[in-house]
């Protein structure tokens, strides 16, 4: 007669509990990451790139495009340098020549600095640029913070009003803005012939406000909630969280403001009638008729080499800020 033997429970089987626990705590296998492509796919396939004829023609076209870009970008600057170290007669005889036939007249830069007072006009330009940059950063960061982070009830209406100003040409608001600068409504203050007349209008840039707001929108809201739980107010959140995370876009806004204020001509001409306060963009056309042509070219070269140098020095920050203007890396 067969005996019925029962299987002992799992807990009584030696090693069963250890086996189950080990199975539960066994770490999951890491997922394999896909290898990134060596380069992004384009109109030419990998097989076509391996063909000698395609590589030759592709390299030729790339070289021609690079040469064309260099000619367009560096050609005017090189010609201006050539004209600034040449004589006025040489410029008039052969204006399109890229090489100096005679001697390099480096003293033209010294004459431009002393006779045209380039140093004084550059100092005035520095005041205009510095004040415009500070005012623009203050307006854009606070405006973007209100619209993106605080979000009051009237926030959508204000955003629509800021966006609507982009469709208004600047020339349309020129006369009302000039009348406001002559005598501010309600206060009677006269900003004419002061740097405030240049700083304040430059700060009201709807385009830059919307760019900063777009950047603030990409900051994770959990950071704000964590700061509020810790007892931080709106001002503390702005200075401790928002501004440190916004350095790339602030660099972009500052560089765009500097370039715009440096080359602005019409508005400083209207609101700064005193010659001692005018920037270099306004002063050079006025003195052009009273100085030789080569000295004028030297003054122009000194005027444009500074913003170009600023861009070359900070191009990495500018490009990184422009690339991260729509997103924040975690």
């Amino acid at each position: 007669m067969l005996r019925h033997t029962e299987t002992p429970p799992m807990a009584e089987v030696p090693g069963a509990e250890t086996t189950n626990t080990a199975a539960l705590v066994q770490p999951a296998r890491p997922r394999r990451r896909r290898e990134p492509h060596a380069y992004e796919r384009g109109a030419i396939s990998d097989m076509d790139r391996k063909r000698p004829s395609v590589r030759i023609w592709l390299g030729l076209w790339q070289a021609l495009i690079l040469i064309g870009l260099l000619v367009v970008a560096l050609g005017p600057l090189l010609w201006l340098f050539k004209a600034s170290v040449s004589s006025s007669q040489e410029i008039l005889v052969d204006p399109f020549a890229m090489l100096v036939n005679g001697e390099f007249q480096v003293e033209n830069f010294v004459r431009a600095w002393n006779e045209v007072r380039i140093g004084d006009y550059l100092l005035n330009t520095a005041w205009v640029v510095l004040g415009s940059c500070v005012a623009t950063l203050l307006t854009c960061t606070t405006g973007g913070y209100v619209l993106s982070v605080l979000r009051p009830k009237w926030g959508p209406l204000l955003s629509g009003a800021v966006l609507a100003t982009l469709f208004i040409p600047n020339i349309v608001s020129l006369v009302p803005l000039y009348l406001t600068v002559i005598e501010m409504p309600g206060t009677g203050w006269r900003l004419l012939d002061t740097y405030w007349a240049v700083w304040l209008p430059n700060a009201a840039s709807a385009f830059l406000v919307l760019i900063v707001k777009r950047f603030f929108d990409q900051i994770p809201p959990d950071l704000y909630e964590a700061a509020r739980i810790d007892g931080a107010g709106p001002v503390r959140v702005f200075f401790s969280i928002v501004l440190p995370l916004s350095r790339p876009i602030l660099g972009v806004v500052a560089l765009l403001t500097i370039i715009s204020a440096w080359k602005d001509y019409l508005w400083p001409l209207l609101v700064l009638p005193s010659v001692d306060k005018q920037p270099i963009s306004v002063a050079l056309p006025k003195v052009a008729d009273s100085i030789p042509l080569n000295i004028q070219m030297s003054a122009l070269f000194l005027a444009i080499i500074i913003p170009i140098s600023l861009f070359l020095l900070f191009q990495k920050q500018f490009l990184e800020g422009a690339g991260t203007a729509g997103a924040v890396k975690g």
Side-chain angles (χ1 to χ4, degrees):
M1 187 173 180
L2 297 175
R3 294 182 179 180
H4 179 69
T5 58
E6 295 182 357
T7 304
M10 186 66 65
E12 297 178 1
V13 177
E17 183 177 358
T18 307
T19 305
N20 293 339
T21 306
L24 291 176
V25 300
Q26 184 178 2
R29 295 180 179 179
R31 297 180 179 179
R32 295 182 179 179
R33 296 183 179 180
R34 296 181 179 180
E35 293 294 333
H37 294 286
Y39 52 86
E40 296 183 359
R41 298 178 60 183
I44 303 176
S45 64
D46 298 340
M47 295 298 297
D48 291 335
R49 290 178 182 271
K50 295 179 181 179
R51 298 170 57 184
S53 59
V54 175
R55 286 186 297 177
I56 292 175
W57 282 104
L58 184 61
L60 181 60
W61 279 108
Q62 290 176 348
L64 291 176
I65 293 174
L66 179 60
I67 293 173
L69 292 176
L70 290 177
V71 170
V72 173
L74 298 179
L77 185 62
L78 294 177
W79 180 89
L80 183 60
F81 176 76
K82 174 260 175 186
S84 61
V85 295
S86 304
S87 61
S88 300
Q89 183 179 2
E90 183 178 348
I91 299 174
L92 295 174
V93 171
D94 193 1
F96 295 101
M98 296 299 296
L99 299 177
V100 181
N101 296 328
E103 296 181 357
F104 280 84
Q105 299 182 3
V106 186
E107 63 274 6
N108 292 343
F109 295 110
V110 180
R111 293 183 56 188
W113 187 272
N114 297 327
E115 297 179 9
V116 190
R117 298 171 54 196
I118 293 296
D120 297 338
Y121 295 134
L122 287 177
L123 182 60
N124 296 339
T125 307
W127 280 111
V128 171
V129 168
L130 181 62
S132 300
C133 185
V134 173
T136 302
L137 289 176
L138 180 62
T139 303
C140 294
T141 52
T142 54
Y145 181 68
V146 170
L147 297 176
S148 176
V149 181
L150 299 183
R151 297 183 180 180
K153 295 182 179 180
W154 40 268
L157 182 61
L158 180 60
S159 299
V162 173
L163 182 62
T165 58
L166 295 176
F167 300 94
I168 302 176
N170 294 331
I171 195 66
V172 175
S173 59
L174 186 63
V175 174
L177 189 60
Y178 182 74
L179 296 177
T180 303
V181 167
I182 292 178
E183 185 175 355
M184 296 187 64
T187 60
W189 295 344
R190 296 178 59 87
L191 302 180
L192 193 65
D193 205 16
T194 63
Y195 289 124
W196 289 101
V198 183
W199 296 341
L200 296 181
N202 288 341
S205 176
F207 175 71
L208 297 180
V209 170
L210 294 178
I211 287 182
V212 176
K213 175 187 177 299
R214 176 62 179 172
F215 187 90
F216 289 171
D217 290 340
Q218 305 301 321
I219 299 178
D222 297 340
L223 297 177
Y224 307 139
E225 295 299 330
R228 294 189 182 100
I229 292 175
D230 292 340
V235 179
R236 180 68 180 275
V237 171
F238 178 72
F239 285 102
S240 300
I241 297 179
V242 176
L243 289 185
L245 292 176
S246 306
R247 292 177 181 175
I249 194 63
L250 295 183
V252 173
V253 171
L255 189 58
L256 291 176
T257 304
I258 290 173
I259 295 176
S260 177
W262 193 281
K263 67 179 183 179
D264 194 11
Y265 171 75
L266 181 58
W267 184 246
L269 177 65
L270 294 176
V271 298
L272 295 176
S274 298
V275 180
D276 296 335
K277 297 181 179 180
Q278 290 177 350
I280 196 168
S281 60
V282 179
L284 282 183
K286 290 187 176 182
V287 301
D289 297 334
S290 60
I291 58 177
L293 183 59
N294 58 344
I295 305 302
Q296 181 183 352
M297 295 295 105
S298 301
L300 287 174
F301 183 80
L302 293 175
I304 69 173
I305 198 62
I306 294 179
I308 293 177
S309 302
L310 289 176
F311 177 78
L312 293 178
L313 288 175
F314 300 102
Q315 63 174 340
K316 182 178 180 180
Q317 291 79 0
F318 177 78
L319 295 178
E320 289 180 354
T324 58
V328 176
K329 297 181 180 180

